Amino acid sequence: MKHALVTGGSRGIGRAVAERLAADGYNVVINYRANQQAAEETLAAIQQNGGCGELLPFDVSDGAAIEAALEQWSAAHPDEYISVLVNNAGIRMDSLMIFMQEESWHKVLDTTLNGFFHITRRLLKDMLTHRYGRIVNVASLSGLKGMPGQANYSAAKAALIGATKALAQEVAARKVTVNAVAPGFIATDMTKELDEGELKKMIPAGRFGKPEEVAAAVAFLASEGASYITGETISVNGGLYT
């Protein structure tokens, strides 16, 4: 059995990624922080389509909670390891810098960047030992070009892209690849308050993307077919930023 962990896997892009990887034959470990109902719905959808999955709740910004949860998973699967990691969990707390509170800065970076660090470091040892692994980090258009009102979010996602490039060079010899996808405007809960009618005028494709379109890119990077691709960031944004 192949195992894939998707952080923030209960809704939006995370749910689409979890469902796609399950369809590709992985037992998907669905991480969530608080929304158990959404996580259970995602798991039910996977199972209804003949896939395998399980739930693993923990807060990605809490290093101790991550360690405890992954130790629990390892104890339940003593002869197996998580070979695919999708670092998807993230939050937005938008504000102009002049009005931004310290809490908003730290919470956004703790979730995206520190979460990546703690989870990836914990799972990397098994990937290197088995000489196989796929790490896919969900970055953002904001991390490539910056977005006004998102200094914290842009900083976190840009740092994630930089970490992707650095780590890819460290582990490539052990057949572990590290890549990122950078979604643009995707129709999820995170973007539902945006003016889609106005914003899609900026997008050459003329529409917001679908979570499943991001999931397709993630699934490719997680596949055997992407074994010679590492340190890359694939934009999924309808041509908005090229």
Side-chain angles (χ1 to χ4, degrees):
M1 177 68 72
K2 302 181 296 181
H3 301 278
L5 170 61
V6 181
T7 67
S10 64
R11 296 181 298 146
I13 291 172
R15 174 172 178 163
V17 169
E19 292 182 351
R20 175 59 187 266
L21 291 178
D24 287 349
Y26 288 91
N27 173 59
V28 181
V29 183
I30 302 164
N31 160 256
Y32 67 97
R33 183 180 65 84
N35 197 333
Q36 182 175 345
Q37 179 180 344
E40 289 176 346
E41 290 171 355
T42 300
L43 179 58
I46 286 172
Q47 293 171 336
Q48 286 168 9
N49 287 313
C52 298
E54 57 188 296
L55 304 182
L56 191 65
F58 59 83
D59 183 347
V60 300
S61 69
D62 185 336
I66 291 168
E67 186 65 30
L70 294 178
E71 183 61 33
Q72 174 188 339
W73 188 90
S74 295
H77 304 79
D79 299 319
E80 299 170 284
Y81 80 109
I82 292 171
S83 60
V84 172
L85 168 61
V86 182
N87 287 303
N88 168 73
I91 60 171
R92 279 177 42 212
M93 299 181 74
D94 296 355
S95 172
L96 296 176
M97 174 69 86
I98 190 67
F99 302 120
M100 187 174 291
Q101 302 298 308
E102 280 195 39
E103 180 185 23
S104 298
W105 177 267
H106 289 295
K107 276 191 173 182
V108 170
L109 267 72
D110 283 348
T111 300
T112 293
L113 196 55
N114 292 347
F116 154 80
F117 169 71
H118 288 297
I119 297 168
T120 304
R121 184 180 62 170
R122 175 62 174 73
L123 296 181
L124 195 57
K125 182 178 179 181
D126 283 338
M127 293 183 186
L128 295 175
T129 298
H130 288 84
R131 299 184 70 87
Y132 182 87
R134 296 284 186 268
I135 298 167
V136 184
N137 300 316
V138 179
S140 171
L141 171 69
S142 295
L144 292 171
K145 71 180 293 292
M147 296 289 281
Q150 290 191 338
N152 49 1
Y153 190 73
S154 295
K157 295 299 189 178
L160 187 61
I161 291 170
T164 296
K165 295 177 180 179
L167 181 59
Q169 296 174 66
E170 295 177 11
V171 299
R174 288 274 179 168
K175 299 182 181 178
V176 177
T177 65
V178 189
N179 292 289
V181 295
F185 291 111
I186 307 298
T188 66
D189 288 348
M190 190 176 278
T191 59
K192 65 183 179 182
E193 80 281 5
L194 301 178
D195 186 346
E196 182 174 349
E198 195 62 32
L199 288 170
K200 69 182 184 181
K201 296 176 184 176
M202 305 162 47
I203 305 170
R207 63 176 177 87
F208 275 21
K210 302 173 184 177
E212 293 77 14
E213 292 171 314
V214 181
V218 173
F220 168 65
L221 292 172
S223 72
E224 293 278 359
S227 61
Y228 201 56
I229 300 172
T230 196
E232 291 298 318
T233 300
I234 297 179
S235 291
V236 187
N237 60 31
L240 176 60
Y241 180 72
T242 56

